[in-house]
Amino acid sequence: MNITTRKFYYGDIPEESAGGATSAIVKSNETAWPLWEVFIRSKQGLDHKHAGSLHAADAAMAIENARDVYTRRQEGVSLWVVESKYIHASNPDDAESFYEPAADKVYRHPSFYVLPDEIKHM
Amino acid sequence: MNQQINFTLSLADTTLILAQRNSEWCAHGPILEQDIAITNISLDLLGQARNFYQHAAHLIGSPATEDSLAYLRTEREFKNLLITELPNGDWAQTILRQFFFSVYQSLLYTQLLQSKDEQLAAIAEKSLKEITYHIKWSSDWVIRLGDGTAESQQRMYKAIEYLWMYTGEFFIPADYETTDLSAMEREWSLKVKDVFEEAGLIMPEKIFMQQGGKTGNHTEHLGFILAEMQSLQRTYPGAQW
């Protein structure tokens, strides 16, 4: 991982033309531990839900760290961890074409059926 | 009765002082996640200490309370193991101490389950679940650093050299102890050897072992811990949160 981030303090002043005091190129620490995403199942039968992320050197340490950081207040009975780099996300720029077309298609909701009286909890 | 009180106090003091030492890492851990891990362990130990102090206060009777026993006794009255009062040093020293101690603690508390004192047995049972995790966490670290880089291994050896002479005290019985410590010593060595082997670390030879903590003869470090820990209660007696 060799990511270079630029910090601009006063609006969008480019580094090279800013005064010395604001110059700050933060290089990510090459020896830093990778990032992991943590998923917790709060009780048997429920799904694992995303709880947050943390740093760890490997999967075993990630599980222990997740136990210490995210289950101190009895939040769960099972943990999953996955290295963040293996998660692929949809692009926010695609939001219009991805999600908006569903907005006017109410018939996709199963709300046009007559339910028999015997069926409860629907 | 006196024997029972002293034994309970030794369990309480040992867990309290190690809790206090580990808590020094709070906000100074090598990484946020491990900062929380060591602080959790510190809080587990503090919880155990409170249980033991409450039980001791009950045995002693009024006016002793868990607070008076923790905050108003002097250095010579504390019966904690010497290893718990030693400075944290670097991360290697801290996790190695925790490993040595947790293995000993699990063996001791397993014996306590059979204690005639039902309260002690109950505290031991509750604590063992926590201790099992402390062993897992600390032995993982011993393996990680022992089998890590040249620097991490060298730091482990420095920690071993510093701490080893304080591990003998686990198994030197004080006059208030009735548990069979010699069988525990063998089990302790086997467990430590297992983890050391996996970590690629060599067990030290038999050397002179320090003792005295169990009977109130401490290193120069305990006084400073008590000074910091007790100053508030001693300056404002009876102060409450």
Side-chain angles (χ1 to χ4, degrees), chain B residues 7-230:
Chain B
F7 181 54
T8 307
L9 281 174
S10 78
L11 296 168
D13 292 341
T14 288
T15 40
L16 176 69
I17 297 300
L18 188 54
Q20 181 75 9
R21 268 299 185 220
N22 282 344
S23 76
E24 289 171 18
W25 276 106
C26 189
H28 298 277
I31 186 165
L32 179 135
E33 289 81 356
Q34 295 303 328
D35 193 298
I36 295 176
I38 190 80
T39 314
N40 277 351
I41 291 176
S42 172
L43 285 171
D44 286 347
L45 290 165
L46 186 66
Q48 294 165 12
R50 284 196 62 189
N51 286 330
F52 289 127
Y53 279 126
Q54 284 163 1
H55 183 47
H58 174 75
L59 293 173
I60 296 166
S62 182
T65 65
E66 55 172 322
D67 283 344
S68 76
L69 293 174
Y71 290 128
L72 300 175
R73 280 153 67 239
T74 61
E75 209 180 325
R76 290 300 294 269
E77 292 169 286
F78 266 73
K79 300 173 198 352
N80 60 284
L81 296 163
L82 296 178
I83 197 169
T84 61
E85 69 201 44
L86 299 176
N88 288 334
D90 59 8
W91 189 246
Q93 193 172 309
T94 299
I95 58 103
L96 184 67
R97 182 220 337 245
Q98 191 61 50
F99 171 65
F100 285 162
F101 176 75
S102 294
V103 175
Y104 154 77
Q105 200 188 15
S106 90
L107 295 168
L108 178 67
Y109 286 24
T110 304
Q111 292 215 17
L112 281 186
L113 294 176
Q114 316 300 329
S115 170
K116 273 177 243 138
D117 184 335
E118 280 174 22
Q119 188 61 27
L120 279 191
I123 299 171
E125 191 184 354
K126 180 169 177 284
S127 309
L128 274 167
K129 288 179 198 144
E130 297 168 343
I131 297 164
T132 305
Y133 184 74
H134 300 170
I135 295 178
K136 179 172 165 41
W137 178 86
S138 58
S139 58
D140 278 359
W141 267 112
V142 170
I143 294 163
R144 211 174 272 286
L145 295 183
D147 193 21
T149 63
E151 159 131 27
S152 72
Q153 194 189 54
Q154 179 244 322
R155 282 176 184 248
M156 283 307 293
Y157 274 121
K158 216 173 123 233
I160 293 169
E161 194 185 341
Y162 181 68
L163 292 171
W164 192 255
M165 72 172 101
Y166 296 96
T167 59
E169 194 187 14
F170 293 148
F171 313 108
I172 301 171
D175 56 7
Y176 51 77
E177 277 182 296
T178 52
T179 21
D180 176 17
L181 298 177
S182 59
M184 267 176 55
E185 182 167 18
R186 281 191 300 278
E187 277 191 69
W188 185 87
S189 301
L190 284 175
K191 171 71 185 170
V192 171
K193 195 157 174 262
D194 266 2
V195 172
F196 270 32
E197 257 167 31
E198 204 174 329
L201 296 167
I202 298 159
M203 292 268 279
E205 301 289 314
K206 271 212 175 306
I207 55 162
F208 169 78
M209 289 292 178
Q210 297 284 355
Q211 57 173 306
K214 287 179 177 179
T215 47
N217 295 306
H218 291 280
T219 67
E220 67 270 32
H221 305 294
L222 183 67
F224 293 98
I225 299 178
L226 295 187
E228 187 174 8
M229 196 178 74
Q230 297 183 334

Side-chain angles (χ1 to χ4, degrees), chain A residues 96-112:
Chain A
E96 225 172 84
S97 61
F98 264 44
Y99 313 114
E100 282 183 24
D104 60 351
K105 298 179 175 68
V106 286
Y107 50 84
R108 288 178 181 170
H109 292 276
S111 51
F112 296 92

Side-chain angles (χ1 to χ4, degrees), chain A residues 51-96:
Chain A
S53 53
L54 48 73
H55 290 94
D58 54 33
M61 191 197 272
I63 292 270
E64 286 182 16
N65 286 354
R67 180 263 187 197
D68 284 323
V69 177
Y70 289 108
T71 67
R72 317 170 67 218
R73 301 180 183 88
Q74 293 188 298
E75 287 92 338
V77 295
S78 167
L79 281 168
W80 285 352
V81 294
V82 61
E83 220 180 314
S84 308
K85 67 178 181 190
Y86 294 119
I87 293 188
H88 302 271
S90 63
N91 188 338
D93 295 343
D94 292 336
E96 225 172 84

